[in-house]
């Protein structure tokens, strides 16, 4: 094994850190126990014996004490301000009835608008929702906005509905639950923050991400979520090297190449594409995802198609001509059909090669049959998926089965994507599911449909290296720990390291040392690994109190 150069080991110009006595997840050496970081770069990985020979007083030496050092996580779909709001507001995932929800509203501190997130009526025994007036009484007249777990609908009070002008809008039926345009209006009404408040919420989310091993987050901004000011604020965190990197996207529809260029110019901030939460449809939970057949629990309802195939095609063609990523939020099978038709139409207009080269991305893609998967592969469309969705709602009797019946068995086809060569990246859609990467990897291993399970290694790569590829990052070493790569990683306290695969028939060979398969934390222990440190390009983002004890 090569040793670091004398210059790297003794440089006085920048910090040199030696990590030793642990396990390094690296393709350079599957048995590596030590790593040297020189400034912002991985300088060397190797054995404990070699580490002893190179250690000197000029280095900051960290004894890993058996911990795992691995590439940092990338969340391919997140919302900074929304995550911070959810962390700071009423957390309603644990309420089990309308009565409990009203009690939580009544107990909310402060004097302004009551903002909460996370209720899910499909887990309630009595699924009756509170009324506009009941929410008003519980809040003492304060406006109330409580987003459903999927954030595609919300409960609002009578006072908020009146102040925001919701009566008469599409999606307002006179009940407390609002969808479509009425929900967008209510949401934006409650997002009229000062810039200081916005930064506070975003920093809360970034600190949460850093404490869970994330070195980058794809921020999916859009006009209906927070507006351009929210995007600019999120992107400006990249001027601060002490938080995870922001990979910014903007979900606004372009009708032509010139229109797309104008949108980009007007933003006043660099974005990676006009993609992300540009909604073709809504969500399964709020019954706004566009379906080819009725919802099983709501005959006559097939959700909402927010964009036509023609509109989507013009958008993809415009982005392809500019050589930037385009894409959409798409969940239902009818929504996906519109997106796939748009790909064909865009290819007919500007050429299939231009469409493929742009690296377009579709978010979520929960209902995709084999023909749809093959079409995504044909155009090299990255799918940004959320394993936490299946963990939360894919079990027998869960939300998916309630809403879709037998169709739920084919949802979130991770293994099918991989088998057909569809590029896959994983994220949380935080605050919809938590910033909890190991739980997300476990969800891939324990998919509700055994045929769609993937190995822990495939899932780990999908949460790390693939996240950089999905953003078309130019450095091919991102997401790896090899000499010359950016020093972006996390250190984890683990109970056991092993190889975990979806097919038990290959388990014995994969765990044999001769297979040289890198090891990952055992995820069947009932608890996630504890993050001890997160580092982005040599800068420490987070350190647990026990790291240097």
């Amino acid at each position: 094994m090569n040793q670091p150069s004398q210059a790297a080991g003794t440089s006085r110009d920048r910090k040199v850190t030696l990590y030793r006595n642990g396990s390094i997840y690296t393709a350079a050496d599957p048995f590596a126990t030590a790593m040297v970081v020189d400034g912002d770069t991985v300088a060397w990985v190797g054995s404990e014996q070699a580490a002893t020979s190179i250690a000197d007083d000029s280095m900051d030496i960290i004894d890993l004490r058996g911990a795992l050092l691995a590439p940092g996580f990338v969340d391919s779909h997140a919302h900074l301000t929304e995550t911070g709001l959810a962390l700071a507001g009423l957390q309603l995932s644990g309420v089990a009835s309308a009565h409990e929800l009203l009690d939580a509203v009544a107990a909310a501190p402060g004097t302004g608008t009551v903002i909460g997130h996370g209720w899910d009526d499909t887990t309630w025994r009595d699924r009756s929702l509170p009324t506009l007036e009941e929410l008003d009484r519980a809040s003492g007249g304060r406006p109330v906005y409580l987003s459903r777990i999927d954030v595609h609908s919300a409960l609002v009070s009578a006072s908020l509905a009146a102040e925001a002008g919701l009566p008469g809008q599409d999606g307002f039926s006179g009940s407390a639950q609002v969808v479509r345009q009425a929900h967008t209006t209510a949401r934006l009404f409650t997002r009229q923050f000062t810039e200081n408040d916005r930064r506070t919420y975003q920093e809360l989310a970034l600190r949460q991400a850093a404490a869970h091993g994330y070195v980058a987050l794809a921020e999916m901004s859009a006009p209906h979520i927070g507006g351009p000011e929210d995007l600019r604020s999120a992107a400006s965190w990249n001027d601060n090297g002490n938080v995870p990197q922001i990979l910014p996207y903007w979900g606004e529809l372009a009708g032509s190449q010139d229109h797309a260029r104008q949108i980009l110019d007007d933003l006043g901030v660099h974005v990676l594409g006009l993609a992300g939460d540009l909604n073709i449809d809504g969500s399964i939970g709020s019954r706004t995802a566009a379906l080819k057949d009725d919802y099983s629990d709501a005959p006559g309802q097939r959700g909402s198609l927010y964009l036509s195939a023609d509109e989507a095609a013009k958008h993809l063609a415009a982005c392809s001509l500019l050589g930037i990523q385009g894409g959409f939020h798409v969940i239902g099978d009818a929504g996906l059909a519109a997106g796939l038709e748009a790909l064909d139409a865009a290819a007919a207009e500007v050429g299939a090669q231009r469409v493929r080269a742009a690296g377009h991305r579709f978010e979520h893609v929960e209902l995709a049959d084999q023909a749809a998967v093959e079409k995504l592969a044909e155009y090299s469309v990255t799918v940004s998926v959320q394993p936490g969705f299946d963990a939360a709602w894919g079990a027998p009797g869960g939300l998916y089965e309630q809403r879709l019946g037998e169709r739920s068995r084919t949802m979130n086809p991770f293994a099918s994507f991989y088998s057909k060569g569809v590029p896959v990246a994983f994220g949380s859609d935080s605050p919809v599911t938590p910033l909890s990467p190991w739980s997300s990897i476990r969800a891939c291993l324990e998919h509700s449909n055994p045929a769609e399970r993937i190995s822990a290694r495939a899932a780990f790569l999908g949460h790390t290296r693939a996240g950089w590829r999905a953003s078309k990052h130019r450095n091919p070493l991102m997401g790896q720990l090899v000499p010359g790569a950016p020093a972006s990683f996390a250190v984890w306290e683990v109970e056991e390291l092993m190889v975990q695969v979806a097919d038990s028939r290959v388990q014995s060979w994969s765990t044999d040392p001769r297979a040289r398969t890198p090891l990952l934390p055992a995820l069947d222990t009932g608890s996630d690994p504890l993050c001890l440190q997160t580092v982005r390009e040599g800068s420490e983002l987070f350190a647990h109190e026990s790291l240097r004890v």
Side-chain angles (χ1 to χ4, degrees):
M1 176 63 62
N2 293 330
Q3 296 189 8
S5 68
Q6 185 67 17
T10 61
S11 172
R12 301 293 179 179
D13 297 328
R14 53 190 179 271
K15 181 179 178 182
V16 177
T17 304
L18 169 62
Y19 293 84
R20 61 181 304 179
N21 190 29
S23 179
I24 313 299
Y25 188 96
T26 172
D29 179 1
F31 306 119
T33 63
M35 184 175 84
V36 171
V37 174
D38 183 358
D40 60 1
T41 304
V42 176
W44 171 85
V45 292
S47 68
E48 194 62 27
Q49 181 180 3
T52 299
S53 70
I54 65 174
D56 63 42
D57 292 340
S58 70
M59 297 179 176
D60 181 12
I61 299 177
I62 295 180
D63 185 349
L64 293 172
R65 297 192 295 276
L68 171 69
L69 191 155
F73 286 105
V74 180
D75 194 308
S76 70
H77 189 121
H79 303 278
L80 278 191
T81 304
E82 294 295 309
T83 297
L85 266 175
L87 291 170
L90 293 182
Q91 299 183 30
L92 302 173
S93 59
V95 303
S97 66
H99 179 75
E100 290 185 15
L101 184 144
L102 291 169
D103 285 345
V105 170
T111 58
T113 301
V114 178
I115 295 179
H117 168 73
W119 60 273
D120 183 356
D121 53 319
T122 64
T123 66
W124 301 357
R125 180 173 297 178
D126 178 356
R127 297 179 188 170
S128 301
L129 297 175
T131 66
L132 292 159
E133 294 72 24
E134 286 174 332
L135 286 166
D136 254 348
R137 287 195 293 271
S139 69
R142 296 164 61 188
V144 177
Y145 172 90
L146 310 174
S147 52
R148 196 181 184 282
I149 184 63
D150 52 33
V151 203
H152 280 264
S153 64
L155 296 172
V156 300
S157 62
S159 58
L160 187 141
E163 290 182 37
L166 301 187
Q169 292 196 22
D170 175 52
F172 183 79
S173 63
S175 70
Q177 187 173 16
V178 291
V179 295
R180 298 189 298 276
Q181 183 56 50
H183 175 241
T184 296
T185 301
R187 183 184 201 172
L188 293 176
F189 178 81
T190 63
R191 269 62 175 168
Q192 299 176 52
F193 308 126
T194 66
E195 181 60 16
N196 184 62
D197 286 342
R198 189 188 313 278
R199 298 285 289 182
T200 298
Y201 291 130
Q202 291 181 351
E203 183 173 15
L204 188 61
L206 287 166
R207 297 303 176 195
Q208 177 87 349
H212 287 80
Y214 288 98
V215 296
L217 304 167
E219 166 65 18
M220 296 301 177
S221 297
H224 66 279
I225 296 177
E229 62 277 7
D230 197 70
L231 167 68
R232 296 184 191 110
S233 182
S236 71
W237 286 102
N238 284 336
D239 299 330
N240 180 341
N242 295 320
V243 294
Q245 183 174 345
I246 300 302
L247 307 172
Y249 288 87
W250 179 244
E252 184 172 352
L253 185 68
S256 67
Q257 182 180 0
D258 288 343
H259 185 204
R261 186 181 291 111
Q262 188 63 54
I263 291 171
L264 296 172
D265 290 344
D266 290 345
L267 284 175
V269 62
H270 174 72
V271 295
L272 298 175
L274 298 178
D277 272 344
L278 173 52
N279 292 349
I280 280 185
D281 66 350
S283 73
I284 300 293
S286 293
R287 298 193 190 89
T288 52
L291 304 181
K292 294 180 178 179
D293 298 298
D294 294 355
Y295 280 89
S296 297
D297 58 354
Q301 292 189 33
R302 295 191 177 186
S304 303
L305 195 64
Y306 299 137
L307 297 178
S308 68
D310 181 61
E311 289 173 315
K314 290 177 180 176
H315 181 80
L316 291 176
C319 292
S320 299
L321 288 171
L322 289 180
I324 64 170
Q325 291 179 291
F328 313 99
H329 159 117
V330 55
I331 286 183
D333 51 2
L336 182 57
L340 298 177
E341 183 180 338
L343 284 167
D344 283 336
E349 180 179 345
V350 304
Q353 185 53 38
R354 268 196 172 136
V355 172
R356 283 192 288 268
H360 300 310
R361 50 186 296 159
F362 284 7
E363 310 297 315
H364 314 311
V365 194
E366 292 202 81
L367 276 169
D369 60 19
Q370 288 301 305
V373 172
E374 290 171 3
K375 181 70 70 174
L376 291 166
E378 177 186 345
Y379 288 111
S380 301
V381 174
T382 293
V383 294
S384 167
V385 296
Q386 292 67 45
F389 288 6
D390 183 76
W393 305 311
L399 180 149
Y400 288 155
E401 187 175 274
Q402 293 175 36
R403 294 283 192 266
L404 302 176
E406 286 299 315
R407 288 169 290 178
S408 65
R409 304 287 182 264
T410 61
M411 293 186 68
N412 299 297
F414 303 155
S416 295
F417 288 142
Y418 276 92
S419 69
K420 296 298 182 181
V422 176
V424 181
F426 293 111
S428 64
D429 198 11
S430 179
V432 177
T433 65
L435 291 164
S436 181
W438 294 112
S439 294
S440 186
I441 291 174
R442 182 186 295 108
C444 293
L445 282 165
E446 300 176 354
H447 195 292
S448 59
N449 179 356
E452 296 297 348
R453 293 172 180 168
I454 59 175
S455 70
R457 182 168 182 263
F460 180 77
L461 293 174
H463 282 81
T464 54
R465 191 174 179 183
W468 295 111
R469 288 182 173 177
S471 70
K472 298 184 69 176
H473 200 284
R474 294 181 179 179
N475 187 343
L477 297 181
M478 296 298 285
Q480 302 183 70
L481 295 178
V482 296
S488 295
F489 57 87
V491 177
W492 302 93
E493 182 178 276
V494 296
E495 297 180 26
E496 180 185 2
L497 292 172
M498 62 183 296
V499 172
Q500 296 151 100
V501 295
D503 188 342
S504 61
R505 292 173 297 177
V506 300
Q507 187 92 359
S508 59
W509 167 245
S510 296
T511 55
D512 189 301
R514 291 171 295 172
R516 298 179 67 83
T517 304
L519 302 180
L520 287 167
L523 297 176
D524 57 357
T525 62
S527 60
D528 288 349
L530 173 68
C531 187
L532 300 177
Q533 186 188 39
T534 306
V535 174
R536 171 193 158 198
E537 297 184 28
S539 295
E540 185 175 80
L541 310 185
F542 167 80
H544 192 272
E545 58 186 10
S546 66
L547 177 68
R548 293 179 173 89
V549 174

